[in-house]
Amino acid sequence: DMQLGANEVLCLIGHNGAGKSTLLKALFGLIAPEGGSVLLDGRPVVRADPRRLAAAGISMVPEGRGIFPGLSVAETMRLGLWSAGVPKADHADRLEWVMQVLPALRKFYGQRAGTLSGGQLQMVSLGRVLLSQPRCLLLGGPPIGLAPKLFQDLMGPVRALQQQRGMSILIVEQNVREALKIADRVIVMKSGALIRSGVPSDFANNTDLMELY
């Protein structure tokens, strides 16, 4: 059992193969759970699927980014606007809002995704999801493999946006030390089970943290 509270950043950590990404996919309706239930605002989610959950204000950044390499950033964002159902009259304002959150997007807006660095691709993936102005973000390991500074450059603006809008964020991340800097609460998963939870300061000891893995 787990709960993501309103206006909370919850970090889910654990070893490779622990089931973190599978949990996120089940929450977002990408796979059908074998048992249990998912509750949204205290009510069971009936026939959970990504389109229904997106309409309810839930968005997910998939593991692996999910960006078409042959499309430009501009084309990717236009596709995101269409997918999010943003009215055409609001496209310009919504794009400008995302650019204010992630201003670095302007620097490579005309480039094809296949020419971008890993950090730039992560930014495009986040920007595309933010077009829907979600109230809850499920981040399926977006900054994996990024250097600590790139992680903070990417997640810093998202954390600021979360605090400004009161969003809820569930983040799966392998870079534990950097993830703990932006989290309000931490859950540890091991072999498909949630074995420990606490606040970031509870995981400050390297030895204790390694034992959890």
Side-chain angles (χ1 to χ4, degrees), residues 57-208:
I58 316 299
S59 291
M60 179 177 176
V61 176
E63 186 178 16
R65 307 182 184 105
I67 299 294
F68 294 105
L71 295 183
S72 68
V73 176
E75 290 168 334
T76 299
M77 298 299 275
R78 285 199 295 270
L79 183 60
L81 287 165
W82 170 81
S83 178
V86 179
K88 286 187 177 181
D90 297 334
H91 281 194
D93 289 343
R94 192 64 62 87
L95 275 171
E96 180 59 28
W97 178 80
V98 170
M99 295 292 189
Q100 290 177 3
V101 177
L102 300 170
L105 278 173
R106 299 183 192 274
K107 299 177 182 178
F108 46 87
Y109 194 66
Q111 289 183 230
R112 295 204 174 277
T115 68
L116 302 179
S117 68
Q120 290 170 331
L121 284 171
Q122 300 288 18
M123 194 169 295
V124 174
S125 187
L126 271 174
R128 180 189 58 188
V129 166
L130 290 176
L131 287 169
S132 65
Q133 293 185 331
R135 64 187 179 113
C136 178
L137 275 177
L138 306 178
L139 302 184
I144 285 177
L146 297 184
K149 184 180 185 307
L150 288 176
F151 179 98
Q152 293 300 328
D153 288 347
L154 185 66
M155 296 306 299
V158 176
R159 175 61 156 158
L161 178 66
Q162 178 267 330
Q163 293 175 328
Q164 175 190 343
R165 295 178 62 88
M167 289 194 306
S168 301
I169 298 178
L170 174 58
I171 177 172
V172 170
E173 179 46 38
Q174 300 284 15
N175 192 338
V176 176
R177 286 297 164 209
E178 295 305 314
L180 293 182
K181 293 178 183 179
I182 65 169
D184 296 311
R185 194 162 55 91
V186 182
I187 291 180
V188 182
M189 176 174 269
K190 185 174 184 178
S191 301
L194 303 177
I195 63 170
R196 184 174 169 184
S197 65
V199 297
S201 59
D202 295 334
F203 300 87
N205 187 295
N206 280 327
T207 301
D208 292 345

